[in-house]
Amino acid sequence: MNVADSEVVVSILTGQGYEHTDDITEARLILINTCSIRENAEQRIRGRLKSIGHLKRKDNSIMIGLIGCMAERLKEKVLEQEHIVDMVIGPDAYRALPSLIAEAESGHKAVNVLLSREETYAGISPVRMDKNGVTSFVSIMRGCNNMCAYCVVPYVRGAERSRDPESVLNEVNDLWVKGYREVTLLGQNVDSYRWEHEGNRTGFPELLERVALINPRLRVRFSTSHPKDLSDELLKTISKRTNICRHIHLPVQSGSSRILKLMNREYTREWYIVRINAIRSIIPGCAVSTDIIAGFCSETEEDHNETLSLIEWAGFDFAYMFKYSERPGTKAARRYKDDIPEEIKTRRLNEIISLQNKISGRSKKMDVGRVFEVLIEGYSKRSKDNLSGRTSQNKVVVFPDDGHKKGEYVNVSVERCTSATLIGKINQSL
Ligand code: 5AD
Ligand code: SF4
């Protein structure tokens, strides 16, 4: 989401005559787009600010802006804590960037952390920073109306709002014309996408289908789904359109219904199991990935074991796994005690990671001997002799370059796998 936001920021500034550079030592303006989701995300930003302090000390006319979620959370406090920062700009204030930069250049520290009920940056054509020219993010909504007890997102990104479907379709169309072959539609909770205009209502399944209909050779992904809202209607739409990728990211967070209730997730372990079963029966061969938090407030060994058993049962293809990190201002910070000692959190997280690694490995081994349609994204990271792409299920596949170009589809038969990658060779071009 921050990559997509940075692309909006670059677009706004390019319109003002700025040029984007990858080389920080060349920059006259440095904007750091920030995340607040866990404390270590913020610590990393503080480290980054320290490491660029010398640029500002060498040339005081260089402007430094802290933008995004951490700016929104800390507001003016950033200026007291981080002296090299000239601007503090929240995620809904990017249209005001030119005037905020002008203010900072005139010697006044500039702050705009107003959240908006309407801003979706529709009409701003993001300048793509992903270098492959094949895959791209498209933001379809902003903010979040769920109140998961641990989560800072509703506070730093504001209320949920959906973007006009026509502007989404125009953006995707434009990407297709420019040669992109895969889009990922982004929202904190895409299942609650809703646009109403003159009595017409568009929900997520309809939007997804309209995007998929732009061209059958355009792959469509989306993230993130919420288990409480994932509908059979959506699953049926995916199964109907082969260019909607066979992968659903469905964060479970915990396998214990008691913890899920404390987390305010609004579903139980049993409900989650029913949703996974629905995915498996409506979309055979669909990959499922998840997010898991270890050591939430009051989590017992029994709760933790329920998380492990759910991971085992679900057989996730992939997972993002975290230790619980208390975020100031959230319901959990206000009402519950962060009472799981650090070493227990670490041990539980390690148990979760090692189980998931085993299961991810198993899922890759099951792909050996099978043939997958792969969209080529470029050379493999390791060697220019190999190409790399992903299957519809979002697994990375590496195979020898036989002259095919990025953006093309090929059939690859998988011969072996490492812990992160499938390795194979091209069967035939499509
Ligand atoms: N501590 C740890 N993990 C968190 N996440 C969100 N808030 C926290 C927190 N306070 C995780 C959730 C979410 C993912 C984006 O980040 O698993 O799905
Ligand atoms: Fe945070 Fe919950 Fe919203 Fe996801 S759905 S962004 S975890 S509040």
Side-chain angles (χ1 to χ4, degrees):
M1 202 147 282
N2 269 0
V3 171
D5 277 11
S6 295
E7 294 178 341
V8 164
V9 166
V10 173
S11 170
I12 290 169
L13 293 178
T14 310
Q16 297 285 315
Y18 284 83
E19 242 179 274
H20 175 242
T21 172
D22 282 336
D23 179 359
I24 199 163
T25 62
E26 270 191 351
R28 309 287 311 144
L29 168 69
I30 300 170
L31 299 176
I32 305 182
N33 199 355
T34 59
C35 174
S36 281
I37 197 95
R38 283 169 292 278
E39 199 189 339
N40 61 7
E42 293 197 358
Q43 292 308 342
R44 271 164 48 203
I45 297 299
R46 294 197 189 270
R48 183 69 59 87
L49 285 169
K50 280 210 175 59
S51 76
I52 64 172
H54 69 284
L55 295 171
K56 179 90 176 169
R57 281 191 293 277
K58 216 160 60 188
D59 179 354
N60 198 37
S61 68
I62 291 172
M63 293 286 114
I64 296 181
L66 194 82
I67 70 173
C69 295
M70 189 174 167
E72 188 64 48
R73 193 178 82 72
L74 293 167
K75 305 188 170 53
E76 287 83 0
K77 269 190 270 174
V78 174
L79 299 175
E80 292 156 28
Q81 296 168 352
E82 304 289 348
H83 296 293
I84 68 163
V85 171
D86 302 293
M87 290 167 276
V88 180
I89 304 168
D92 284 348
Y94 298 147
R95 285 184 204 264
L97 264 162
S99 63
L100 293 164
I101 296 168
E103 194 181 328
E105 280 174 342
S106 73
H108 304 283
K109 301 240 170 183
V111 180
N112 187 338
V113 287
L114 291 175
L115 286 174
S116 156
R117 295 202 149 266
E118 287 95 36
E119 183 62 274
T120 58
Y121 298 113
I124 292 183
S125 184
V127 172
R128 303 296 163 188
M129 299 206 298
D130 43 65
K131 293 281 147 55
N132 66 21
V134 178
T135 62
S136 185
F137 295 123
V138 174
S139 166
I140 62 164
M141 59 203 296
R142 297 181 72 80
C144 184
N145 281 355
N146 296 307
M147 281 287 164
C148 301
Y150 51 80
C151 186
V152 77
V153 167
Y155 304 92
V156 292
R157 298 190 77 93
E160 180 185 290
R161 64 222 100 119
S162 297
R163 190 173 151 192
D164 182 342
E166 299 305 326
S167 87
V168 173
L169 290 163
N170 286 340
E171 188 175 325
V172 177
N173 225 336
D174 192 45
L175 285 165
W176 168 262
V177 170
K178 288 184 173 135
Y180 284 82
R181 292 295 172 262
E182 181 182 297
V183 293
T184 303
L185 307 181
L186 292 180
Q188 303 292 349
N189 177 6
V190 291
D191 309 281
S192 65
Y193 173 90
R194 197 147 285 114
W195 175 261
E196 285 192 43
H197 187 62
E198 292 173 352
N200 290 323
R201 188 188 254 205
T202 308
F204 185 60
E206 188 188 331
L207 177 73
L208 183 64
E209 180 154 41
R210 288 179 69 190
V211 171
L213 284 169
I214 287 178
N215 196 295
R217 296 274 77 189
L218 175 74
R219 275 187 174 180
V220 188
R221 301 184 185 276
F222 56 91
S223 193
T224 297
S225 298
H226 194 305
K228 78 179 165 64
D229 297 320
L230 179 78
S231 66
D232 284 359
E233 187 197 351
L234 177 67
L235 300 179
K236 286 178 190 150
T237 304
I238 299 169
S239 91
K240 204 162 68 179
R241 303 269 158 226
T242 50
N243 58 326
I244 303 178
C245 289
R246 269 46 187 158
H247 170 222
I248 296 179
H249 185 61
L250 196 66
V252 65
Q253 315 297 2
S254 167
S256 151
S257 293
R258 187 185 75 84
I259 293 290
L260 289 169
K261 189 159 184 2
L262 284 179
M263 286 178 164
N264 211 18
R265 289 288 289 176
E266 297 183 39
Y267 56 86
T268 58
R269 174 189 176 96
E270 290 69 33
W271 172 271
Y272 190 85
I273 288 175
V274 169
R275 295 326 298 146
I276 295 279
N277 283 335
I279 295 172
R280 305 264 188 248
S281 76
I282 300 174
I283 323 170
C286 187
V288 181
S289 57
T290 202
D291 292 348
I292 292 164
I293 299 177
F296 187 64
C297 313
S298 85
E299 186 187 74
T300 62
E301 284 307 310
E302 200 183 334
D303 295 318
H304 169 61
N305 286 333
E306 286 200 82
T307 298
L308 293 172
S309 74
L310 188 73
I311 294 172
E312 184 83 59
W313 176 85
F316 297 114
D317 297 273
F318 183 82
Y320 295 102
M321 298 156 281
F322 315 103
K323 267 189 265 186
Y324 171 59
S325 160
E326 184 177 87
R327 308 310 293 132
T330 56
K331 181 179 171 200
R334 284 182 278 119
R335 303 250 196 100
Y336 314 144
K337 220 167 140 219
D338 182 11
D339 56 356
I340 307 303
E342 189 59 27
E343 59 281 10
I344 295 186
K345 281 186 188 171
T346 305
R347 195 252 303 149
R348 288 182 186 166
L349 178 65
N350 287 340
E351 286 175 13
I352 290 169
I353 292 173
S354 75
L355 174 61
Q356 181 54 45
N357 283 347
K358 201 177 80 192
I359 293 171
S360 301
R362 199 157 70 200
S363 137
K364 283 191 198 70
K365 281 196 197 91
M366 279 180 10
D367 293 338
V368 173
R370 297 176 56 199
V371 176
F372 291 90
E373 184 187 82
V374 173
L375 171 61
I376 303 174
E377 292 176 21
Y379 292 114
S380 92
K381 273 191 217 130
R382 295 239 178 107
S383 138
K384 290 231 153 137
D385 297 333
N386 287 321
L387 294 170
S388 166
R390 273 173 300 147
T391 65
S392 174
Q393 288 79 0
N394 210 28
K395 287 182 186 150
V396 175
V397 191
V398 170
F399 45 94
D401 181 3
D402 71 342
H404 279 89
K405 297 275 168 296
K406 64 182 182 181
E408 292 178 2
Y409 289 92
V410 284
N411 272 341
V412 176
S413 62
V414 176
E415 295 174 327
R416 58 195 175 89
C417 64
T418 66
S419 62
T421 314
L422 303 177
I423 298 164
K425 69 166 192 281
I426 294 178
N427 236 2
Q428 73 185 75
S429 55
L430 295 179

